[in-house]
Amino acid sequence: MKRVYNFSAGPAVLPVEVLEEAAAEMLDYQGTGMSVMEMSHRSKAFEGIITEAEQDLRDLLNIPDNYKVLFLQGGASQQFAEIPMNLMKNKTADYIVTGQWAKKAAQEAAKYGRVNKIASSEDKTFSYIPDCSDLPIDEDADYVYICENNTIYGTKFKELPNTKGKTLVADVSSCFLSEPVDVTKYGVIYGGVQKNIGPAGTVIVIIREDLITEDVLPGTPTMLQYKTHADAKSLYNTPPAYGIYICGKVFKWLKNMGGLEVMKARNEKKAALLYGFLDESRLFKGTAAKKDRSLMNVPFVTGSEELDAKFVKESKEAGFENLKGHRSVGGMRASIYNAMPYEGVEALVTFMKKFEKENL
Amino acid sequence: MKRVYNFSAGPAVLPVEVLEEAAAEMLDYQGTGMSVMEMSHRSKAFEGIITEAEQDLRDLLNIPDNYKVLFLQGGASQQFAEIPMNLMKNKTADYIVTGQWAKKAAQEAAKYGRVNKIASSEDKTFSYIPDCSDLPIDEDADYVYICENNTIYGTKFKELPNTKGKTLVADVSSCFLSEPVDVTKYGVIYGGVQKNIGPAGTVIVIIREDLITEDVLPGTPTMLQYKTHADAKSLYNTPPAYGIYICGKVFKWLKNMGGLEVMKARNEKKAALLYGFLDESRLFKGTAAKKDRSLMNVPFVTGSEELDAKFVKESKEAGFENLKGHRSVGGMRASIYNAMPYEGVEALVTFMKKFEKENL
């Protein structure tokens, strides 16, 4: 069996222990005589799976009791509509645009109400996070929206924006569970699981209870109302059961690793190794502003498109997968999520050093 | 390793060969060095998976070129809104209500336009399919909607309704790929895959191209527009990749079995065994009208709630899982989808005979 170092931005590397367990349980989950894929979502066995998954996530993030955890479908892209449809009581929202996903979210929300772009870093290809300490927050804003970690550009909010009392909504798809979070600072934290938690097809929404109401925009589909899923504990209809099962295994893996403080230290150590090399390299250069560097996604370039292409090709041949940068920015990107071991980053840096020597 | 006979109505039994392959490939899909769960949806490997899955489905159902195949999320429940949002140009649709799911679909559609219930079998607990040869189809109807196989009540349309030229939209979740279908008779065929095809979280929509337009109801989320997904070949955002992969394996299994004619014969043989016994039994009795009996879902009762409960309990102890009827109708239900072997039905009938002898 071959395993590569997979630097994909998402879907992305999962803990090998989780995959081994899933394989072993594929035909018979804990003596039930069936796969989790074959299991009624109303069965006791699945009730156990989803209940434990939620509790483990609550433990990891220290989620207060007045927040609901929802396991939904449709990815972050569906949330781009679901958020305004559920939260835009005043038909107004403030968006901070730090990348393609926040931009798309703002465009979608504009179908449902007035969207103010109160800050942006588009002037420098989203390579930094703007100062958000004193923004012109709209008095009528139902919420302030951010994409907390920008997968494509490798930036992250190191400090949350000052929302001046307004509800903060954050897409955390690419930094989900990478470090501890103070949930009480948010109204909604959500993310697709396919970067740091599980297989594509499940999106997790952590939402403060007072934001879950029947008072949604007219025409909001039943399936896009948070209340539908909160009332039914994510079992209004058949949920993405196998995905939730894998997420649950990753939550247990994270707890076994020591929780999010330990993961943060591990992630900082991995990132420091790679950024440290980029800062001293005479060939490679990181593209994100240093103060805003993401712990999860590390974009870099050589300065020559030809050399970039050569690097992507040769690194692939050497067993490093998915180092090509996003098609909208080019260059390279190493995504070093929770499940990427330190050894993977070490091997990558060794390979980069060798490449630098051969090509300078 | 234990395997039971799983008569669940969905999520439901999958072919054991498919599960074995999935387990074997869990850590390394065909030499890629990663699980399909970890794979970029833009990678060549995944492109191969989704392209082959679509082609195999097209082969199985003989889908004409002027129909698109979409792999979406949100289950049938999300389609209940998506269909009117995309198709209700005249804001009018005709619904034939033969069970709880068609009823829910009609209720959801009524949020978006005028819904005519042109036929119903609710008067007899949905135990039959009404005569649909000459219904009062609305001149302005954008479509006529049916749920072709009624999972809870065990009925199926043996003949499609006469729509008098209007577009037919059918939810086929619980009879998907159980027999050949003339796709040209439908405008839209759709279903959640978790009954007869794969893990919950993927819904397949087969839609005639002329029905895919930009002219959708105002406020339709981008993710709920068929055009979004048709234009992007189901890769507008990250799709439920692992689910699509399993569906693809089931399509190959069906082709290896000999295709849908062969599956129909197998399903008829299984159903005949069970219905034959029900018709001669002095204890058990089928609840659906004989002429409308489903090949997939077989509800039955003893006539005594006490005996029903005893049967459910004892059958479970004997290794037959999920024979309890839907909570809305009680009694028992055996779902005998494609992946349920003849031996499973045989064993069930043997057990029922023994139970009858002991309890008459």
Side-chain angles (χ1 to χ4, degrees):
Chain A
M1 192 202 62
K2 176 181 153 193
R3 288 284 290 171
V4 293
Y5 286 125
N6 178 10
F7 292 94
S8 173
V13 58
L14 289 170
V16 74
E17 299 90 332
V18 165
L19 297 172
E20 282 169 347
E21 274 181 40
E25 292 173 349
M26 183 62 86
L27 282 98
D28 177 12
Y29 173 74
Q30 299 191 353
T32 56
M34 60 183 85
S35 173
V36 173
M37 291 191 205
E38 305 177 291
M39 197 170 274
S40 166
H41 58 296
R42 310 276 176 207
S43 65
K44 276 194 189 136
F46 187 71
E47 200 184 302
I49 288 169
I50 194 169
T51 306
E52 259 186 62
E54 177 176 339
Q55 188 56 53
D56 286 335
L57 180 62
R58 285 185 174 278
D59 294 347
L60 283 166
L61 280 172
N62 198 17
I63 301 175
D65 286 347
N66 64 325
Y67 284 74
K68 294 281 189 197
V69 172
L70 310 178
F71 295 97
L72 306 179
Q73 297 184 58
S77 295
Q78 191 160 307
Q79 292 302 311
F80 296 169
E82 205 156 329
I83 288 160
M85 286 181 128
N86 281 271
L87 303 187
M88 264 197 184
K89 318 290 181 192
N90 294 326
K91 296 216 166 203
T92 306
D94 289 347
Y95 278 68
I96 298 173
V97 178
T98 54
Q100 183 179 305
W101 299 111
K103 195 174 170 182
K104 277 202 172 186
Q107 279 164 353
E108 186 76 359
K111 289 161 73 169
Y112 305 102
R114 184 156 54 92
V115 165
N116 310 305
K117 290 186 194 165
I118 54 171
S120 169
S121 52
E122 195 163 11
D123 58 334
K124 292 185 184 165
T125 327
F126 299 122
S127 59
Y128 69 102
I129 300 290
D131 177 0
C132 297
S133 58
D134 185 21
L135 295 171
I137 307 289
D138 194 311
E139 261 190 24
D140 289 332
D142 292 301
Y143 58 89
V144 176
Y145 182 100
I146 61 169
C147 178
E148 192 162 335
N149 185 84
N150 297 281
T151 324
I152 298 175
Y153 311 95
T155 60
K156 171 159 196 292
F157 282 82
K158 297 295 163 76
E159 230 173 292
L160 293 176
N162 175 1
T163 65
K164 301 179 182 175
K166 298 295 182 188
T167 296
L168 180 64
V169 174
D171 174 357
V172 299
S173 296
S174 52
C175 60
F176 224 155
L177 303 182
S178 62
E179 57 185 312
V181 160
D182 181 354
V183 174
T184 64
K185 291 187 174 163
Y186 303 79
V188 180
I189 303 179
Y190 81 94
V193 303
Q194 73 273 12
K195 294 171 187 294
N196 224 350
I197 305 181
T202 300
V203 57
I204 296 175
V205 176
I206 302 164
I207 179 170
R208 216 175 52 224
E209 274 173 355
D210 61 285
L211 298 171
I212 305 170
T213 70
E214 276 174 7
D215 174 26
V216 298
L217 298 190
T220 302
T222 303
M223 277 290 288
L224 268 64
Q225 297 177 25
Y226 291 132
K227 193 170 187 329
T228 300
H229 300 287
D231 287 353
K233 296 187 173 186
S234 302
L235 293 172
Y236 171 73
N237 69 333
T238 320
Y242 197 76
I244 294 168
Y245 155 74
I246 299 291
C247 291
K249 285 196 180 297
V250 173
F251 300 153
K252 288 214 186 297
W253 178 80
L254 289 168
K255 286 177 101 172
N256 286 338
M257 295 291 282
L260 300 191
E261 284 291 359
V262 172
M263 292 316 295
K264 184 186 182 191
R266 279 170 54 99
N267 289 327
E268 284 174 342
K269 194 177 159 205
K270 285 188 287 178
L273 179 63
L274 185 47
Y275 284 124
F277 170 65
L278 288 174
D279 288 344
E280 73 186 23
S281 168
R282 287 178 303 142
L283 178 62
F284 296 103
K285 192 173 90 171
T287 53
K290 281 191 188 181
K291 70 177 180 48
D292 303 319
R293 281 173 168 174
S294 164
L295 289 182
M296 297 285 101
N297 311 100
V298 183
F300 55 95
V301 293
T302 63
S304 146
E305 276 187 33
E306 214 172 286
L307 266 188
D308 286 356
K310 191 177 179 210
F311 179 81
V312 168
K313 184 171 171 288
E314 292 185 7
S315 64
K316 191 178 163 68
E317 286 160 8
F320 302 96
E321 287 286 340
N322 294 310
L323 282 167
K324 197 173 174 182
H326 190 271
R327 58 193 185 284
S328 67
V329 292
M332 283 76 73
R333 174 180 48 177
S335 294
I336 50 178
Y337 296 117
N338 281 338
M340 172 59 65
Y342 184 79
E343 294 69 36
V345 182
E346 215 168 28
L348 173 62
V349 168
T350 302
F351 179 81
M352 289 169 77
K353 283 180 179 167
K354 182 168 155 283
F355 185 89
E356 174 169 326
K357 200 172 276 179
E358 290 167 2
N359 291 279
L360 251 197
Chain B
M1 192 202 60
K2 177 180 154 192
R3 289 284 291 171
V4 294
Y5 286 124
N6 177 11
F7 293 93
S8 174
V13 58
L14 288 170
V16 74
E17 299 89 333
V18 166
L19 297 173
E20 282 168 349
E21 274 181 40
E25 294 173 348
M26 183 61 88
L27 282 95
D28 178 13
Y29 172 74
Q30 298 191 354
T32 57
M34 61 183 86
S35 173
V36 173
M37 290 191 207
E38 304 176 292
M39 198 171 272
S40 167
H41 57 297
R42 310 276 176 207
S43 65
K44 275 191 190 138
F46 186 72
E47 201 185 301
I49 289 169
I50 193 169
T51 306
E52 261 188 60
E54 177 176 339
Q55 190 55 54
D56 286 335
L57 181 62
R58 285 185 174 277
D59 295 346
L60 283 166
L61 280 172
N62 198 18
I63 301 175
D65 286 345
N66 66 326
Y67 285 74
K68 295 281 189 197
V69 172
L70 310 177
F71 295 97
L72 306 179
Q73 297 184 57
S77 295
Q78 191 159 308
Q79 292 302 312
F80 296 170
E82 204 156 329
I83 288 161
M85 285 180 129
N86 281 271
L87 303 186
M88 266 197 181
K89 319 287 183 195
N90 293 325
K91 296 215 166 206
T92 307
D94 288 347
Y95 278 69
I96 299 174
V97 178
T98 55
Q100 182 181 305
W101 299 111
K103 195 174 170 181
K104 278 201 173 185
Q107 281 164 352
E108 186 76 358
K111 289 162 70 169
Y112 304 103
R114 185 155 55 92
V115 165
N116 309 306
K117 289 186 195 167
I118 55 171
S120 168
S121 53
E122 194 162 10
D123 59 335
K124 290 184 184 166
T125 327
F126 299 120
S127 59
Y128 70 102
I129 301 290
D131 178 0
C132 298
S133 57
D134 185 20
L135 295 172
I137 307 288
D138 194 310
E139 262 190 23
D140 290 331
D142 292 300
Y143 59 89
V144 176
Y145 183 100
I146 62 169
C147 178
E148 192 160 336
N149 186 84
N150 297 280
T151 325
I152 298 174
Y153 311 96
T155 61
K156 171 159 195 293
F157 282 83
K158 296 295 163 80
E159 232 174 292
L160 293 176
N162 176 1
T163 65
K164 302 179 180 175
K166 299 295 184 189
T167 297
L168 180 64
V169 175
D171 174 358
V172 299
S173 297
S174 53
C175 59
F176 223 156
L177 303 182
S178 61
E179 57 184 315
V181 161
D182 181 354
V183 173
T184 65
K185 291 185 173 164
Y186 303 78
V188 181
I189 304 178
Y190 82 93
V193 303
Q194 73 275 11
K195 293 170 187 294
N196 224 351
I197 305 181
T202 300
V203 57
I204 295 175
V205 176
I206 302 165
I207 177 168
R208 216 175 53 224
E209 275 173 354
D210 60 285
L211 297 171
I212 304 170
T213 70
E214 274 174 7
D215 175 26
V216 298
L217 299 191
T220 302
T222 303
M223 278 290 289
L224 268 64
Q225 297 180 24
Y226 291 132
K227 193 166 187 330
T228 300
H229 301 288
D231 288 352
K233 298 188 171 184
S234 303
L235 293 172
Y236 171 74
N237 68 334
T238 320
Y242 197 77
I244 294 169
Y245 156 76
I246 298 291
C247 291
K249 285 194 179 298
V250 172
F251 299 153
K252 289 217 184 292
W253 179 81
L254 289 167
K255 286 177 102 172
N256 285 340
M257 295 292 282
L260 300 191
E261 285 291 358
V262 173
M263 292 315 296
K264 183 186 184 191
R266 280 171 52 102
N267 288 327
E268 284 174 343
K269 194 178 159 206
K270 285 187 289 178
L273 180 65
L274 185 47
Y275 284 124
F277 170 66
L278 289 174
D279 288 344
E280 72 185 22
S281 167
R282 287 179 302 141
L283 178 61
F284 296 103
K285 193 172 89 168
T287 54
K290 281 191 188 180
K291 70 174 178 54
D292 303 318
R293 279 173 168 174
S294 164
L295 289 182
M296 297 286 102
N297 311 99
V298 183
F300 56 94
V301 293
T302 63
S304 145
E305 276 185 34
E306 213 172 289
L307 265 187
D308 286 354
K310 190 178 179 207
F311 178 81
V312 169
K313 183 170 173 286
E314 292 185 7
S315 63
K316 190 177 164 70
E317 285 160 8
F320 303 96
E321 286 286 340
N322 294 310
L323 282 167
K324 195 171 175 183
H326 190 270
R327 57 194 187 283
S328 67
V329 293
M332 281 76 72
R333 173 178 50 175
S335 293
I336 50 177
Y337 294 118
N338 281 337
M340 172 59 64
Y342 184 79
E343 294 70 36
V345 182
E346 216 169 28
L348 173 62
V349 168
T350 303
F351 179 82
M352 289 168 77
K353 284 180 176 163
K354 180 169 157 281
F355 185 89
E356 175 169 328
K357 200 173 274 177
E358 292 167 1
N359 292 279
L360 253 196

